[in-house]
Amino acid sequence: MLACSIDLACVLVADAVVTFGYHHLAFPAGRSLALVAVLPIVAVVALASQRSWDARILGSGAEEIRRVGRAYALAIAVLAVAGYAWGTAAGQSWIFGALPLAAVATVGARLGLRRYIRSRRRKGAYVWSVLVAGDTVEVHELLARSSEFLDSGWEIDGICLPADSFRGKAPLAIDDVPVLGTEDDIVGIVALHGFQAVALLPSSDWTHSKTRALSWDLERTGTDLLMAPVLMDLVGPRLHMAPLAGLPLLKFSAPRYSGPSWLVKNVFDRVAALMIVALLAPVLLAIAVAIRVTSPGPALFKQTRVGRDGRTFTMYKFRSMVVNAEDRLAEVADRDIGAGVLFKIYDDPRVTRVGKFIRRYSLDELPQLFNVVTGDMSLVGPRPPLESEVARYSEDGMRRRLFVKPGLTGLWQVSGRSNLSWEESVRADLRYVETWTFAMDLAILWRTIGAVLRGNGAY
């Protein structure tokens, strides 16, 4: 109800802005007046038709914004056709002015509402209780993403394991989430504890007939059934429905790292990087001067990194450490917090005073814009690894990060930066490689602004 009220308010405000601002209170008459009068109604109906108020997508992410965009595109199309059919052009300023303005206002309001909803969800409000059923390994992997589920409104409160797990010593809990029984007890456990959704993870026990029977049983309880695909990370543009002989099959298309979409990405990267360099030129100069004045040595730090297809390149950063930092590595080696192949350390004594500031707000990364201009890096992509890190990659999945150009920012940047474990960093990079879209790049760039300003995970 709150989202509906906010959307209606945005439409009415946009309508008033065009009326009072553009037309200077010169109200339309006749057919144009009728067209303008039904504008808020058509907009609300369009939003309802796209299920933009579905509680399951409120505050959940891009899907909410996509539904709002489709709704306003539909409203504009309907009213434009209606205006043409009625033979009036006077209402065009409302159709092509008020509605786009309302769309922008609605998206902004939804982003604000999302922040409010997510803050409330972290306190236990606006969440759906979920029961997870699957093998121990799959459940553990899912629970590693529990924070992402909570942001989408799903809180995992219970686990059911295969009956075979209870023949030995079954765990009482996995990652502090209680194990409530076997997969044969799901319906009874749902009725007893009032779960609002059941999430089935890949398992050899879930045959077609058994899954169908469970869905029928859950219908009587009003509980939603969620099913994770076998390849849980392969979603987004690679996931399609492919009906075969009346059976809906999930089709995973092969990832493509070339073609028109990637050409657009490369052109956008270089043009945007040049524009940012031109815009931030005084800032870049000021940082370089501050580094030279406060610490002996060059302003820039050069390091060999591994790029797409394993090709090496020289990456540029503002120097945030003393000149002989690499020679002093042995002095702090025992303070490594142990993050897989990454070397991480809190309060590194080799970091200069200026270095602490520019690291906190990722200003030391700005010279990588020149790497983007030269084509060695992208604005968005996996974290650029060192040669020593690549040499220690133990799985093929880790090397898939090298299928695309490394990025100035990425999912690792907006998901916690150095606060992420090695496994979480790899998972974020693989998710980007497997499910890339240009819209994802734009979303990550937008989220990067907030991540940089907060400075969380930067050290």
Side-chain angles (χ1 to χ4, degrees):
M1 193 64 183
L2 177 60
C4 178
S5 301
I6 290 175
D7 293 349
L8 179 58
C10 289
V11 175
L12 294 176
V13 168
D15 207 357
V17 167
V18 172
T19 301
F20 287 87
Y22 182 78
H23 288 279
H24 305 291
L25 294 179
F27 288 96
R31 294 180 178 179
S32 296
L33 177 61
L35 190 65
V36 173
V38 300
L39 184 146
I41 299 174
V42 172
V44 170
V45 171
L47 287 165
S49 70
Q50 297 300 315
R51 297 180 298 168
S52 61
W53 304 317
D54 189 337
R56 293 175 178 81
I57 61 100
L58 289 177
S60 61
E63 178 60 25
E64 178 182 5
I65 305 303
R66 279 194 290 268
R67 293 190 186 187
V68 170
R70 289 198 301 265
Y72 276 102
L74 176 62
I76 291 173
V78 168
L79 288 178
V81 171
Y84 177 79
W86 290 345
T88 176
Q92 290 183 356
S93 56
W94 278 271
I95 297 173
F96 298 105
L99 281 177
L101 181 61
V104 173
T106 301
V107 170
R110 287 297 187 97
L111 292 176
L113 180 62
R114 180 190 301 177
R115 295 192 64 173
Y116 169 74
I117 290 175
R118 288 186 175 181
S119 67
R120 293 286 295 154
R121 281 173 176 168
R122 294 187 184 99
K123 298 177 182 178
Y126 305 141
V127 295
W128 287 266
S129 183
V130 180
L131 175 68
V132 173
D135 295 333
T136 303
V137 175
E138 299 290 349
V139 169
H140 179 73
E141 182 178 344
L142 185 70
L143 291 177
R145 313 181 189 187
S146 58
S147 60
E148 302 173 30
F149 273 78
L150 187 58
D151 282 342
S152 298
W154 303 100
E155 186 169 25
I156 301 174
D157 292 323
I159 299 169
C160 283
L161 298 176
D164 293 345
S165 302
F166 289 83
R167 293 177 183 175
K169 186 178 180 181
L172 297 177
I174 299 177
D175 295 343
D176 297 328
V177 179
V179 176
L180 302 178
T182 72
E183 294 174 341
D184 297 328
D185 306 322
I186 289 178
V187 177
I189 291 174
V190 166
L192 179 63
H193 295 276
F195 287 102
Q196 294 162 297
V198 174
L200 296 185
L201 303 184
S203 171
S204 58
D205 291 342
W206 288 110
T207 62
H208 172 71
S209 58
K210 184 176 178 180
T211 304
R212 181 176 57 183
L214 176 63
S215 68
W216 291 343
D217 290 337
L218 291 177
E219 284 179 6
R220 294 193 291 269
T221 66
T223 306
D224 290 337
L225 179 62
L226 312 173
M227 295 192 65
V230 176
L231 303 175
M232 286 191 289
D233 285 319
L234 305 187
V235 292
R238 294 184 56 192
L239 180 62
H240 310 279
M241 294 296 295
L244 177 63
L247 295 176
L249 302 180
L250 290 178
K251 176 183 176 183
F252 293 97
S253 58
R256 296 183 179 180
Y257 306 114
S258 61
S261 296
W262 285 91
L263 177 61
V264 171
K265 173 182 172 66
N266 289 330
V267 172
F268 173 81
D269 282 341
R270 298 191 184 199
V271 173
L274 277 173
M275 293 177 62
I276 295 173
V277 168
L279 183 65
L280 297 183
V283 176
L284 298 175
L285 180 61
I287 295 173
V289 171
I291 293 173
R292 291 297 303 273
V293 169
T294 59
S295 174
L300 288 180
F301 173 71
K302 302 177 183 179
Q303 194 173 49
T304 300
R305 296 290 179 114
V306 181
R308 184 174 183 179
D309 297 327
R311 293 190 294 267
T312 58
F313 67 96
T314 300
M315 189 185 77
Y316 301 98
K317 297 179 66 174
F318 279 125
R319 182 173 58 85
S320 59
M321 291 186 174
V322 295
V323 175
N324 61 340
E326 293 187 346
D327 297 333
R328 294 175 54 187
L329 182 61
E331 298 177 15
V332 295
D334 59 336
R335 297 172 60 179
D336 184 10
I337 63 176
V341 303
L342 298 179
F343 178 81
K344 293 183 182 180
I345 180 175
Y346 295 117
D347 297 324
D348 195 326
R350 300 172 298 166
V351 179
T352 64
R353 286 181 300 170
V354 173
K356 289 182 179 179
F357 176 80
I358 62 177
R359 278 190 169 202
R360 176 171 178 79
Y361 296 103
S362 297
L363 299 176
D364 60 321
E365 313 282 354
L366 290 178
Q368 293 173 33
L369 288 167
F370 295 102
N371 289 116
V372 177
V373 173
T374 59
D376 291 323
M377 293 180 60
S378 174
L379 286 177
V380 182
R383 192 187 66 84
L386 293 164
E387 290 181 287
S388 59
E389 294 173 13
V390 174
R392 296 171 61 188
Y393 284 176
S394 58
E395 301 175 8
D396 290 339
M398 296 180 184
R399 296 189 177 276
R400 290 184 70 85
R401 306 163 85 200
L402 305 180
F403 283 9
V404 300
K405 293 179 183 179
L408 177 63
T409 184
L411 283 176
W412 50 274
Q413 172 86 316
V414 300
S415 302
R417 291 195 271 186
S418 292
N419 285 337
L420 296 180
S421 66
W422 168 245
E423 292 76 13
E424 290 170 331
S425 298
V426 171
R427 188 183 301 123
D429 283 344
L430 288 180
R431 190 186 318 166
Y432 177 84
V433 172
E434 300 288 356
T435 65
W436 174 85
T437 63
F438 188 68
M440 176 187 288
D441 273 8
L442 297 179
I444 291 174
L445 288 172
W446 173 256
R447 292 173 60 189
T448 297
I449 298 174
V452 168
L453 293 178
R454 288 191 297 271
N456 295 332
Y459 50 83

